[in-house]
């Protein structure tokens, strides 16, 4: 590819476009690279989608890959539901996610506000303990969490799957940080007007932490919907499986028909894509402003 | 801030403190207690002293698992610190359609590891896409056993981990790049520095703290790997169970008639000890940033 040196006369126009403006060739190169990476990232998903739409008579093992199904059919989505109760599994995952979202939104908001805005004896110790849990990877305590859940009589139940994560320690700390960033003068003004704690939390705190709350909702949903290890340990009855455990069950137990597994993975994958697609603007807005820190 | 009743803060923080105590602190303590017993998944358990710890030293599967973790970490560290940075530089400039590309590159991150592993299991199958293409192009005569060979299975799991992690670390780098002062680039450009020199002398020093952070994150997550290996090997851990990770061993011993919660707890504590280094390092980095 040859780069054309722009004649000096175009200099002002170039300057008007701003510092370091790329040439059309550079831009084209950038798009070419972007599309290449896109194929690498999205390709496997599309291949799986394509497999899930191929009929029973179409050979899925051909050496020359056939990306477009000859006769696209949704039949595999029906067949997978006959093999495993896939819609019950989806509902189970949804129930777990709903419990976790509710618990985290309510529990972490209340605790985050108390830790950020109210002065009380022992606050420092409590905060320190919340922080200390962060060095514990979840897998380290998973065995004794199972023993605990079993002791509570919740082994092999969705409640047992949902309960431990219903208030996540990290989210408490995130909400505390969000509330601490709200100007304290707002609170003081409300206090002068005679507002009590609940009113200050509801009318001054909450409207200012909506961004953090939506991030917590999105990631709690994704975390609960995608989780595998914990439900795999807690659940034994195949009727109670969540989607991820059910998919592995389908993969491991039934002589694998790639079309059915593909249909199953799409049922687990597409809701996440839709949720993230709707919410992504919250997410990347923060990134753009340099607000997200590792 | 003032509040009229002394118990108001405790009321607000109550549920979270309950969860802290019941589902975090107590299990941490109980892991230590259980590790000195022979508790079984179906109940019971007597004090057995250091027996479980002795067993740790004499477990071939654990030795394999630790070796796997080291290989995992050594391959993931360079790939996942460098590739996402290049990707972030690629999507940094706000050109038309860039939001679509950023979102698309993030998709593998939000997908469940189970979904991703099932997709790759099919792509890498003996009769799957990659083997089809390899044989079609004449590079191999017979299918490459990506999923049934001890080392190929491990490297397949590493490949999918890298593929799934690209977008995650890309976003962290994007955020770091946004914090590198634009004026520095302008000044260097005025002084005649080309893109490559600006990358080495401005971009790289600007994101160095983030690189350190990301290396620590990768170290921890390499030690915690589970779903990728579990699903790719169909829960078997590869030929002879040699492709297990430490977390896979913990899961294996926490279930079924042959389960051993005491030994699983000892394994958990071992996992805690080996992740503690990078974890504390991460905490220190975060405190410095805050």
């Amino acid at each position: 590819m040859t780069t054309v040196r722009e004649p000096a006369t175009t200099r002002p126009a170039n300057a008007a476009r701003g510092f370091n403006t790329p040439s059309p060739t550079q831009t084209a190169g950038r798009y070419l690279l972007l599309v290449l990476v896109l194929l690498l990232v999205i390709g496997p998903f599309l291949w799986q989608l394509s497999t899930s739409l191929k009929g029973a008579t179409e050979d899925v093992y051909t050496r020359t890959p056939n990306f477009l199904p000859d006769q696209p059919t949704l039949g595999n989505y029906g067949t997978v539901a006959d093999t495993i109760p896939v819609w019950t599994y989806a509902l189970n995952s949804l129930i777990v996610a709903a419990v976790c979202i509710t618990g985290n939104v309510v529990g972490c908001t209340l605790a985050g506000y108390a830790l950020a805005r109210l002065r009380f004896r022992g606050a420092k110790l409590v905060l320190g303990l919340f922080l200390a849990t962060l060095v514990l990877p979840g897998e380290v305590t998973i065995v004794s969490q199972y023993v605990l859940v079993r002791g509570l009589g919740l082994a092999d139940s969705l409640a047992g799957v949902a309960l431990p994560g219903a208030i996540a320690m990290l989210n408490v700390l995130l909400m505390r940080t969000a509330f601490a960033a709200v100007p304290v003068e707002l609170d003081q003004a409300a206090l002068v007007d005679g507002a009590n704690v609940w009113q200050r939390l509801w009318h001054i705190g909450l409207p200012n932490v909506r961004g953090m709350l939506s991030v917590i909702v999105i990631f709690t949903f994704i975390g609960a919907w995608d989780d595998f290890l914990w439900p795999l340990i807690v659940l034994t009855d195949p009727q109670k499986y969540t989607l991820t455990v059910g998919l592995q069950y389908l993969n491991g137990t039934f002589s694998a028909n790639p079309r059915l597994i593909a249909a199953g993975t799409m049922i687990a994958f597409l809701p996440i894509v839709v949720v993230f697609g709707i919410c992504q603007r919250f997410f990347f807005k923060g990134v753009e402003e340099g607000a997200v820190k590792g | 801030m003032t509040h009229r009743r002394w118990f108001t803060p405790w009321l607000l923080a109550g549920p979270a403190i309950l969860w802290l105590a019941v589902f975090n602190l107590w299990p941490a303590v109980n892991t230590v207690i259980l590790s000195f017993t022979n508790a079984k998944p179906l109940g019971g358990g007597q004090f057995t002293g250091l027996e479980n710890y002795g067993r740790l030293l004499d477990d071939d599967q654990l030795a394999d698992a630790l070796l796997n973790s080291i290989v995992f970490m050594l391959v993931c560290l360079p790939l996942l610190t460098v590739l996402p940075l290049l990707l972030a530089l690629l999507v940094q400039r706000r050109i038309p359609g860039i939001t679509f590309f950023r979102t698309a590159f993030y998709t593998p991150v939000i997908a469940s590891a189970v979904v991703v592993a099932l997709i790759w299991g099919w792509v890498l199958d003996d009769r799957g896409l990659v083997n089809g293409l390899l044989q079609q192009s004449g590079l191999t005569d017979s299918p490459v056993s990506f999923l049934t060979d001890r080392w190929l299975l491990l490297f397949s799991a590493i490949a999918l981990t890298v593929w799934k992690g690209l977008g995650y670390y890309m976003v962290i780098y994007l955020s770091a790049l946004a914090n590198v002062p634009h004026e520095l680039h302008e000044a260097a450009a005025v002084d005649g520095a080309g893109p490559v020199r600006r990358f080495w002398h401005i971009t790289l020093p600007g994101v160095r703290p983030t690189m350190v952070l990301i290396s620590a994150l990768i170290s921890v997550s390499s030690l915690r790997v589970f779903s990728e290996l579990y699903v790719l090997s169909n829960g078997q851990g590869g030929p002879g169970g040699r492709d297990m990770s430490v977390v896979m061993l913990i899961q294996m011993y926490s279930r079924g008639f042959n389960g051993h919660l005491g030994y699983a707890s000892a394994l958990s504590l071992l996992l805690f000890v080996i992740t503690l280094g990078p974890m504390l390092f991460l905490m220190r980095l975060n405190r410095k940033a805050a």
Side-chain angles (χ1 to χ4, degrees), chain A residues 103 106-108 110-111 130 166-169 172, chain B residues 8-24:
Chain A
V106 177
C108 301
L110 296 180
F130 277 117
I167 299 178
M169 302 297 107
V172 171
Chain B
T8 306
W10 294 101
L11 213 57
L12 292 176
I17 293 174
L18 185 69
W19 252 253
L20 169 72
V22 174
F23 290 108
N24 292 275

Side-chain angles (χ1 to χ4, degrees), chain B residues 143-156:
Chain B
V144 180
S145 46
F146 289 109
L147 304 178
T148 44
D149 176 88
R150 187 241 191 282
W151 289 108
L152 280 179
L153 174 59
L154 185 65
F155 283 110
S156 299

Side-chain angles (χ1 to χ4, degrees), chain A residues 30-31 40-41 48 51 63 117 119 121 139-140 144-145 150 163 200 226 232 236 248 252 288 292, chain B residues 1-3 10 19 22-23 27 31 41 90 94 96 102 110 112 122 135 163 175 224 234 255 268:
Chain A
R30 190 176 280 260
Y31 276 112
L40 214 63
V41 170
Q48 192 82 342
T51 306
R63 282 201 180 175
R117 275 292 184 266
R119 234 172 273 163
R121 202 182 274 258
E139 293 85 355
V140 168
S144 42
Q145 279 200 340
R150 193 186 64 189
L163 221 54
R200 296 201 305 266
D226 286 353
L232 183 70
T236 38
Q248 170 53 32
E288 189 85 330
V292 176
Chain B
M1 272 309 126
T2 56
H3 42 88
W10 294 101
W19 252 253
V22 174
F23 290 108
T31 305
L90 186 64
R94 291 203 59 78
R102 285 178 184 180
I110 57 162
S112 166
W122 170 226
Q135 286 168 286
W163 178 81
S175 175
R224 298 171 59 184
N234 225 332
R255 285 290 298 268
S268 304

Side-chain angles (χ1 to χ4, degrees), chain A residues 141-153 230 233, chain B residues 26 30 34 39-41 261 265:
Chain A
T141 52
I142 212 155
V143 175
S144 42
Q145 279 200 340
Y146 172 65
V147 172
L148 174 67
V149 162
R150 193 186 64 189
L152 294 172
W230 176 240
I233 288 181
Chain B
W26 164 243
N30 199 27
L34 282 170
K40 293 285 186 311
L261 295 176
S265 301

Side-chain angles (χ1 to χ4, degrees), chain B residues 29-47:
Chain B
V29 173
N30 199 27
T31 305
V32 179
I33 299 174
L34 282 170
S35 75
F36 293 106
T37 71
N38 63 356
K40 293 285 186 311
L42 300 171
Q46 279 100 42
F47 182 77

Side-chain angles (χ1 to χ4, degrees), chain A residues 2 4 7 47 57 59-60 93 96 174 207 239:
Chain A
T2 54
V4 183
W47 180 240
T57 52
D59 185 8
V60 291
S93 287
V96 171
L174 287 176
Q239 284 299 316

Side-chain angles (χ1 to χ4, degrees), chain A:
Chain A
M1 224 180 273
T2 54
T3 41
V4 183
R5 201 175 270 268
E6 294 186 54
T9 46
T10 63
R11 186 81 182 82
N14 197 9
R17 271 193 285 159
F19 156 73
N20 201 17
T21 306
S23 69
T25 334
Q26 276 174 321
T27 308
R30 190 176 280 260
Y31 276 112
L32 189 71
L33 272 174
L34 282 169
V35 170
L36 276 178
V37 178
L38 184 70
L39 284 179
L40 214 63
V41 170
I42 297 299
F45 290 113
L46 293 179
W47 180 240
Q48 192 82 342
L49 179 64
S50 155
T51 306
S52 78
L53 298 174
K54 285 176 181 169
T57 52
E58 186 174 350
D59 185 8
V60 291
Y61 297 111
T62 51
R63 282 201 180 175
T64 318
N66 195 5
F67 276 93
L68 291 174
D70 287 335
Q71 281 167 324
T73 166
L74 289 174
N76 295 319
Y77 291 81
T79 317
V80 76
D82 295 336
T83 317
I84 54 168
V86 71
W87 302 116
T88 309
Y89 292 170
L91 183 67
N92 289 348
S93 287
L94 204 62
I95 291 171
V96 171
V99 171
C100 286
I101 290 174
T102 313
N104 274 289
V105 165
V106 177
C108 301
T109 301
L110 296 180
Y113 186 79
L115 288 170
R117 275 292 184 266
L118 303 177
R119 234 172 273 163
F120 59 102
R121 202 182 274 258
K124 269 219 169 110
L125 174 72
V126 171
L127 184 63
L129 288 173
F130 277 117
L131 267 168
T133 61
L134 296 189
V135 295
L136 269 180
E139 293 85 355
V140 168
T141 52
I142 212 155
V143 175
S144 42
Q145 279 200 340
Y146 172 65
V147 172
L148 174 67
V149 162
R150 193 186 64 189
L152 294 172
L154 297 174
D156 200 19
S157 76
L158 289 179
V161 176
L163 221 54
I167 299 178
M169 302 297 107
L170 176 66
N171 291 340
V172 171
L173 293 168
L174 287 176
M175 286 309 291
R176 175 188 163 265
T177 313
F179 279 120
V182 180
V184 80
E185 291 78 15
L186 288 179
D187 256 332
Q188 281 161 347
L191 192 64
V192 171
D193 291 341
N196 64 26
V197 171
W198 296 97
Q199 288 165 327
R200 296 201 305 266
L201 167 59
W202 190 257
H203 294 290
I204 293 160
L206 268 185
N208 285 299
V209 296
R210 275 196 211 124
M212 185 59 88
L213 264 183
S214 46
V215 168
I216 287 177
V217 169
I218 299 169
F219 281 96
T220 303
F221 177 75
I222 294 177
W225 185 267
D226 286 353
D227 195 17
F228 179 54
L229 175 58
W230 176 240
L232 183 70
I233 288 181
V234 174
L235 300 173
T236 38
D237 176 5
Q239 284 299 316
K240 293 177 186 154
Y241 282 171
T242 58
L243 251 182
T244 50
V245 182
L247 282 178
Q248 170 53 32
Y249 174 63
L250 172 72
N251 183 40
T253 316
F254 301 92
S255 65
N257 177 350
R259 301 175 192 81
L260 295 190
I261 293 173
T265 46
M266 282 300 133
I267 292 172
F269 176 58
L270 292 176
I272 279 282
V273 174
V274 171
V275 168
F276 191 70
I278 295 168
C279 304
Q280 50 91 10
R281 65 197 172 91
F282 293 108
F283 184 70
F284 285 106
K285 204 172 69 185
V287 173
E288 189 85 330
E289 292 156 2
V292 176
K293 289 222 173 70

